[in-house]
Amino acid sequence: MTSQRVLIVDDDQRNLKTLAASLVDLPIEILEASSGPQALRMLEERDPDLILLDVMMPGMDGYEVLEKIRGSEVHREIPVILVTALDDRESLLSGFTAGADDFITKPFSRWELRLRVRSILRLNRYRRLADARTERDRVSQLASDREKLYRELIENAGVIVQSVAPNGKILFANQGWLDAFGFTECELPDLDMLGLVHPDSLDCYRKILAASFSPDLGSQEIEATFLGKDGRSIKLEGAVVGQKSRDGGVVASLALLRDVTEAAEMRARVARAHQMEQVGRLTAGLAHDFGNILQVISMSVPPAPTSGEGESKWLGFIRDAVEDGAALVADLMGVSRSAAIQPEWVDAEECVSLAFDTVTRLLPGSISVHRKISCDNAIMRVDSTALRRVLLNLSTNARDAMKGYGDLFLEACVKSGPETGMAPMQIEISVRDTGPGMSTEDLARAFEPFFTTKEEGEGTGLGLASARGLVEQHDGQIWASSEPSGGLQVTIALPAARA
């Protein structure tokens, strides 16, 4: 323990030595001053724990020295014992008024002096400990308040904040990060940031992460795709900077990011819509011109004989080719949303049943068709021929996906109220196969014109695009889903009403 200091101030050297000798065997350091100004200078240099101050001194007496001590911001709390031969009531009051903590009158008892010095030193030590504890508590509270403020700013700033170690370990992530990625705070210790980066962005992120630990490099811009807990893609952009310790070393990579997934998807949708508009115009023109050519060819081919008379096999080939061309024109018209349809209110159960009959008839016997229709007392506004064409397209795709063997599930039901996102009531018709299904990437492009997962030359890529065009001409919706275990389901929803 550091010795406490006692400053003795007296202009009489004999009194100085007597006071010092009385305290010599105590665990203290004794300082001596022979005048008021010297004592004040020593205060700045040594900061004593107690002052024994003589009252009657020439020049600057004890009362004046005491007033200057009590007027100091730094030394005002140092305890002072006045040493004086004056024992009248007025002198005592003057001393206490000036700020004295105690009095020792001359001649003094060595035992009394030591007792008072030890008592006041003990109290002063307790006071200083209490002051130090109070200061520590104050600093700790300030630090806690500052940390709370920073955390609130981080949590409510509307940005995603993450701190990552050199090995990719996540050291900190704010609530915005947790919400974006779908994790809970208790899952953070087990997460590796490198495992949450989309493969397309992994090389770029590795370089930025490594560069952020260079002490001479400032912030870096980042735009990358990450993976949420559920596997969905998250597009983030922002800045990455090295997080420095007190000694200046970089200890973590700090990133301030914002989620631009929706904005990126919106830009992609706008671009896709523009592309679809251009494709629609092109396919409409092609369908019109190609249809005219087929019309001329069709009119030039004699009708098929009704009797047993034979006809040239080439004429039969031409007639089949014209029919195939007409089907292609119909698909092109569907893609461009310019097909000539005539919707009318029909009995939903009957219309769907007839369409399912057509599909079942045209599928090979190696495919087992399972039907389920629950559309009692419902009507829908639809072009029955267009509906059959849509279901044939979907069923043909399912047949090809299953290589001609498997189970096909045709289902139709009524949806109403909160179940529908489009109309108060609708008919949902689904076609589900047991084929290999589609990847997430292929599903995102499934309804694009000319996109196909078939081998080159095996498909035009118009089936789903045409189905989408025809459904949307009916103010309906169409979507596809695929299970990890396999199988693709395409569902269409058409506005309906109670019969």
Side-chain angles (χ1 to χ4, degrees):
M1 178 183 296
T2 303
S3 297
Q4 291 178 287
R5 299 188 185 96
V6 175
L7 173 61
I8 303 174
V9 186
D10 200 311
D11 64 305
D12 189 327
Q13 290 295 318
R14 289 174 299 175
N15 289 339
L16 275 177
K17 299 304 181 187
T18 301
L19 288 168
S22 300
L23 305 174
V24 69
D25 59 340
L26 293 180
I28 59 175
E29 178 184 353
I30 297 176
L31 309 174
E32 296 179 3
S34 57
S35 68
Q38 183 185 10
L40 293 176
R41 288 195 299 272
M42 293 187 71
L43 284 180
E44 303 298 330
E45 298 172 0
R46 307 301 299 273
D47 189 25
D49 298 283
L50 173 63
I51 299 174
L52 295 178
L53 180 60
D54 185 32
V55 173
M56 303 301 292
M57 293 187 296
M60 183 183 293
D61 63 18
Y63 294 133
E64 188 176 351
V65 173
L66 182 56
E67 285 181 5
K68 291 186 177 295
I69 292 173
R70 294 296 179 243
S72 168
E73 289 291 335
V74 179
H75 307 298
R76 67 194 317 168
E77 297 298 330
I78 298 176
V80 176
I81 298 178
L82 291 180
V83 181
T84 179
L86 304 174
D87 60 356
D88 59 284
R89 178 180 176 83
E90 184 176 345
S91 298
L92 294 176
L93 287 175
S94 297
F96 283 121
T97 301
D101 293 276
D102 204 350
F103 269 87
I104 292 289
T105 57
K106 300 176 184 177
F108 57 82
S109 163
R110 180 174 181 271
W111 175 84
E112 180 184 0
L113 174 66
R114 290 166 59 88
L115 185 62
R116 294 195 181 190
V117 166
R118 292 178 63 179
S119 176
I120 290 182
L121 283 176
R122 185 183 306 112
L123 290 174
N124 190 46
R125 183 171 66 250
Y126 292 157
R127 180 189 63 79
R128 291 199 170 191
L129 288 173
D131 289 347
R133 184 178 297 110
T134 300
E135 180 63 15
R136 284 198 304 271
D137 292 344
R138 187 185 70 83
V139 172
S140 176
Q141 185 61 45
L142 283 175
S144 176
D145 291 345
R146 188 178 294 112
E147 182 180 354
K148 182 180 179 182
L149 176 61
Y150 289 160
R151 183 171 289 274
E152 288 179 353
L153 287 173
I154 289 174
E155 296 296 351
N156 301 306
V159 296
I160 294 169
V161 182
Q162 67 179 38
S163 179
V164 180
N167 61 357
K169 201 73 174 176
I170 300 175
L171 304 176
F172 169 80
N174 72 338
Q175 190 60 46
W177 189 98
L178 297 173
D179 293 341
F181 283 82
F183 291 100
T184 60
E185 191 170 0
C186 61
E187 293 176 294
L188 279 178
D190 300 323
L191 296 179
D192 182 348
M193 197 62 212
L194 295 174
L196 299 176
V197 183
H198 193 281
D200 294 344
S201 299
L202 188 56
D203 289 341
C204 172
Y205 182 77
R206 284 184 185 275
K207 292 177 182 178
I208 291 176
L209 179 64
S212 66
F213 285 90
S214 172
D216 302 325
L217 192 64
S219 65
Q220 308 170 81
E221 292 185 359
I222 182 174
E223 182 175 346
T225 304
F226 298 83
L227 299 173
K229 183 178 181 179
D230 57 2
R232 63 186 175 84
S233 296
I234 308 168
K235 190 81 170 181
L236 301 178
E237 66 177 27
V240 178
V241 66
Q243 188 175 349
K244 296 183 179 181
S245 62
R246 292 182 178 178
D247 60 7
V250 180
V251 295
S253 174
L254 180 65
L256 302 178
L257 309 165
R258 63 189 185 97
D259 191 341
V260 295
T261 305
E262 290 187 7
E265 290 177 352
M266 180 60 71
R267 290 195 297 267
R269 283 197 294 269
V270 170
R272 194 179 301 118
H274 180 70
Q275 181 186 31
M276 289 293 294
E277 182 181 358
Q278 299 299 321
V279 170
R281 291 176 181 174
L282 174 63
T283 53
L286 287 174
H288 180 268
D289 294 342
F290 192 35
N292 288 339
I293 295 173
L294 289 176
Q295 182 69 21
V296 173
I297 296 173
S298 178
M299 293 176 63
S300 302
V301 177
T306 55
S307 61
E309 301 175 7
E311 73 170 352
S312 168
K313 66 177 181 179
W314 299 109
L315 289 178
F317 291 159
I318 293 173
R319 189 174 291 106
D320 291 343
V322 169
E323 291 178 358
D324 291 341
L328 181 58
V329 168
D331 283 343
L332 289 171
M333 297 295 285
V335 170
S336 65
R337 294 164 178 75
S338 58
I341 61 172
Q342 296 180 332
E344 57 182 348
W345 287 102
V346 298
D347 181 86
E349 182 107 13
E350 181 180 356
C351 179
V352 172
S353 181
L354 290 173
F356 283 180
D357 288 342
T358 302
V359 169
T360 305
R361 259 194 327 269
L362 296 177
L363 288 173
S366 55
I367 293 179
S368 300
V369 179
H370 308 271
R371 300 167 43 155
K372 182 179 180 182
I373 304 175
S374 304
C375 301
D376 294 338
N377 301 319
I379 58 174
M380 61 181 181
R381 191 169 183 272
V382 68
D383 183 314
S384 301
T385 302
L387 178 61
R388 285 197 295 273
R389 190 186 308 156
V390 169
L391 294 178
L392 279 173
N393 271 334
L394 301 182
S395 301
T396 300
N397 282 346
R399 177 202 65 195
D400 295 342
M402 296 187 292
K403 307 298 183 183
Y405 295 91
D407 293 284
L408 185 69
F409 299 87
L410 305 175
E411 299 184 3
C413 63
V414 177
K415 296 284 186 178
S416 60
E419 297 176 297
T420 73
M422 176 188 65
M425 179 176 174
Q426 63 189 29
I427 301 295
E428 283 192 6
I429 306 170
S430 62
V431 178
R432 178 166 57 91
D433 62 49
T434 54
M438 275 191 178
S439 66
T440 304
E441 291 77 12
D442 287 343
L443 272 176
R445 301 187 58 195
F447 294 98
E448 291 182 8
F450 310 113
F451 175 77
T452 180
T453 58
K454 298 176 183 178
E455 296 294 331
E456 186 175 352
E458 292 186 6
T460 62
L462 292 174
L464 285 177
S466 174
R468 179 179 185 175
L470 288 170
V471 169
E472 291 181 351
Q473 278 188 273
H474 287 81
D475 296 324
Q477 295 176 329
I478 184 169
W479 63 90
S481 59
S482 185
E483 296 296 329
S485 57
L488 177 71
Q489 176 171 311
V490 181
T491 305
I492 64 175
L494 301 171
R498 289 294 176 189

